[in-house]
Amino acid sequence: MTDALTDRRPRDAARPSPFGLLVTPVLLAAACAALYVWLRGQDLDSIESRAINRDVITEQLVEHVKLVAASTGLVIAIAVPLGVLLTRPRLGALGTPLLMLANIGQAVPSIGVLVLLAVTVGVGFQEALIALVLVSVLPVLRNTMVGLRGVDRALIDAGRGMGLTRTAVLFRVELPLAVPVMMAGLRVALILNVSSATLATFTNAGGLGGLISTGIALNRTSVLLTGSVLTAVLALTCDWLVGLAERYLRPRGL
């Protein structure tokens, strides 16, 4: 009994309690409330009033969320199936060269990718979307491959010994066990997307980067701070949501 209790302690510690899950949203709401109270106490001039009114903030926040949601969805649709294919025996030899190529591409700064696409393809939402996918696809691809390769071979053989097909072993054994590593890659990709999407304003794709660039260009601290705080809150909210999803997707016992 003592041993059983001892074994359960690390698992319980790894999973935050329901109360612990509420800490992050409460802190983020408090940060937004503090920003609102601070802005209400400021004597805003006409430029600041036009830049940080409710309609402008809502519009830019919605544009930012659309960019992040669309690019992250595309990253998952591309990187997860590709990661699965590259860990299969027939295509396993292609995994290392493709990861090396992706690592080289990852070394290019986000602003460089955006500018390159703006010059060669054009500006707008779709072009910014392509740039965000290129910037954030590597963490999900790499973690999918690492997670699948880290599954104990004995468990795969056990599944095959029970009569499961290769596809069934993939969906019932390999992918569930790889979920924690894959979700870690998704968290990194989301944070990259939220931060890189602020640069999309320079390619006419909108987003909270408009507030940040306006604050810098016109030397308005209130505008710059509003854009920065909202971007940080959005990034932490996305991270919290992925952590929440991981909590329910992670197999029991891990």
Side-chain angles (χ1 to χ4, degrees):
M1 176 66 75
T2 304
D3 293 341
L5 290 174
T6 303
D7 290 343
R8 286 178 59 184
R9 282 170 190 155
R11 297 171 189 171
D12 294 341
R15 291 174 180 272
S17 64
F19 177 77
L21 291 174
L22 294 176
V23 171
T24 298
V26 168
L27 290 177
L28 295 178
C32 291
L35 175 65
Y36 177 76
V37 170
W38 181 76
L39 288 174
R40 293 281 293 179
Q42 299 297 307
D43 185 18
L44 303 180
D45 60 24
S46 59
I47 295 175
E48 292 169 318
S49 299
R50 285 197 300 271
I52 51 179
N53 65 67
R54 185 176 61 183
D55 292 338
V56 173
I57 291 176
T58 302
E59 180 185 359
Q60 296 193 4
L61 181 61
V62 169
E63 290 172 346
H64 207 99
V65 170
K66 284 181 178 177
L67 279 170
V68 173
S71 58
T72 304
L74 285 173
V75 164
I76 294 173
I78 294 170
V80 173
L82 184 58
V84 170
L85 287 175
L86 291 176
T87 55
R88 301 304 95 182
R90 291 182 180 178
L91 298 177
L94 298 176
T96 301
L98 280 179
L99 275 182
M100 290 177 62
L101 187 63
N103 277 322
I104 294 173
Q106 190 75 18
V108 179
S110 307
I111 186 67
V113 177
L114 279 167
V115 171
L116 183 63
L117 284 173
V119 172
T120 57
V121 182
V123 296
F125 182 86
Q126 293 183 355
E127 288 73 17
L129 203 59
I130 295 171
L132 292 177
V133 170
L134 292 175
V135 166
S136 60
V137 72
L138 178 61
V140 179
L141 174 62
R142 182 172 51 204
N143 278 40
T144 299
M145 295 176 64
V146 170
L148 290 173
R149 286 174 174 171
V151 175
D152 191 343
R153 185 69 201 175
L155 297 175
I156 298 174
D157 293 338
R160 295 286 293 161
M162 293 170 61
L164 296 179
T165 63
R166 292 184 185 277
T167 304
V169 169
L170 172 65
F171 284 99
R172 297 177 64 178
V173 178
E174 293 183 76
L175 284 175
L177 291 175
V179 159
V181 181
M182 293 169 65
M183 296 301 277
L186 180 59
R187 293 173 93 147
V188 174
L190 262 174
I191 299 298
L192 275 174
N193 274 342
V194 173
S195 59
S196 300
T198 57
L199 302 172
T201 188
F202 298 115
T203 60
N204 199 30
L208 292 171
L211 287 174
I212 296 174
S213 63
T214 300
I216 294 174
L218 302 180
N219 193 26
R220 294 296 193 278
T221 303
S222 57
V223 180
L224 172 61
L225 194 61
T226 301
S228 301
V229 170
L230 291 180
T231 302
V233 167
L234 181 59
L236 292 173
T237 302
C238 291
D239 184 70
W240 176 74
L241 288 174
V242 175
L244 203 61
E246 181 184 353
R247 173 184 168 86
Y248 293 102
L249 291 175
R250 179 193 290 259
R252 289 186 177 277
L254 289 182

